[in-house]
Amino acid sequence: MSLLAPFKKRGEVAPLRKEWEDFWQRAFDWDGDLFGESLPEIWERGGVPPMNFGEDDDGFKLALEIPGMDEKDIHIQVVGKQLVITGERKWESEKKAKEYHRVECQYGAFRRAITLPPAAKVDPDAIQAKYEKGLLEITIPKAEPTPVVEIPVKASKT
């Protein structure tokens, strides 16, 4: 199957170019100050921090990249069989003689919920978290395997 695009004469490209320029003008409202006093909504929403999740013989290792935060602004909870990580990276509203021409860093609140594997020990006292140089590392030990226990069957007396 092939896709066909309608043929356009040269004169028909101008409106498309105008739409493209208008889009960028509206998106950045360029007047020398790219964002004015606040960030665009996409950056205010925050985002989901990138994560690596692995396993070794002792347990599970989780690493999240969340640079520019204090450890007091990061919260970790165990909710059922889920590990929930929340926090907020705040935007400096004070300019302090800074004029930004481009902002790509994410700001705002984030929430990441990870369903733990069945072999994970879901005990808040056993889970360890360390935050250093923008990397949050969480160690979750494996649960002890449940031993097989034989249940005796008793005959009913009737």
Side-chain angles (χ1 to χ4, degrees), residues 56-86:
D56 61 18
D57 292 338
D58 298 325
F60 301 92
K61 310 287 186 206
L62 183 105
L64 276 95
E65 293 179 359
I66 44 178
M69 294 185 66
D70 290 348
E71 64 275 357
K72 66 180 175 32
D73 296 328
I74 302 167
H75 306 283
I76 304 168
Q77 298 175 316
V78 175
V79 180
K81 285 290 277 179
Q82 286 194 329
L83 188 69
V84 179
I85 302 140
T86 57

Side-chain angles (χ1 to χ4, degrees), residues 5-74:
F7 176 78
K8 293 194 182 248
K9 295 179 186 172
R10 233 174 239 231
E12 293 177 312
V13 175
L16 181 61
R17 183 178 184 152
K18 174 80 170 113
E19 283 181 42
W20 182 251
E21 289 171 353
D22 288 348
F23 165 78
W24 286 107
Q25 183 66 33
R26 284 190 313 272
F28 294 110
D29 194 22
W30 185 258
D31 63 358
D33 182 12
L34 193 56
F35 300 118
E37 293 298 315
S38 65
L39 288 168
E41 182 185 342
I42 189 168
W43 283 281
E44 288 178 349
R45 279 189 312 214
V48 180
M51 172 186 75
N52 293 331
F53 188 70
E55 178 180 5
D56 61 18
D57 292 338
D58 298 325
F60 301 92
K61 310 287 186 206
L62 183 105
L64 276 95
E65 293 179 359
I66 44 178
M69 294 185 66
D70 290 348
E71 64 275 357
K72 66 180 175 32
D73 296 328
I74 302 167

Side-chain angles (χ1 to χ4, degrees), residues 91-109:
W91 170 255
E92 295 175 26
S93 58
E94 253 182 68
K95 285 193 175 182
K96 296 181 186 173
K98 293 180 189 173
E99 185 173 319
Y100 293 98
H101 293 282
R102 186 179 190 114
V103 175
E104 293 183 355
C105 297
Q106 297 244 339
Y107 295 87

Side-chain angles (χ1 to χ4, degrees), residues 98-158:
K98 293 180 189 173
E99 185 173 319
Y100 293 98
H101 293 282
R102 186 179 190 114
V103 175
E104 293 183 355
C105 297
Q106 297 244 339
Y107 295 87
F110 69 86
R111 181 181 188 277
R112 190 86 199 240
I114 300 101
T115 300
L116 297 173
K121 186 174 185 178
V122 188
D123 177 6
D125 295 329
I127 298 172
Q128 297 178 351
K130 178 178 80 169
Y131 181 68
E132 187 177 349
K133 295 183 181 179
L135 187 66
L136 176 64
E137 295 179 320
I138 302 171
T139 305
I140 306 152
K142 287 186 177 178
E144 294 295 322
T146 307
V148 177
V149 179
E150 188 74 28
I151 307 296
V153 179
K154 296 180 183 180
S156 63
K157 296 181 182 186
T158 50

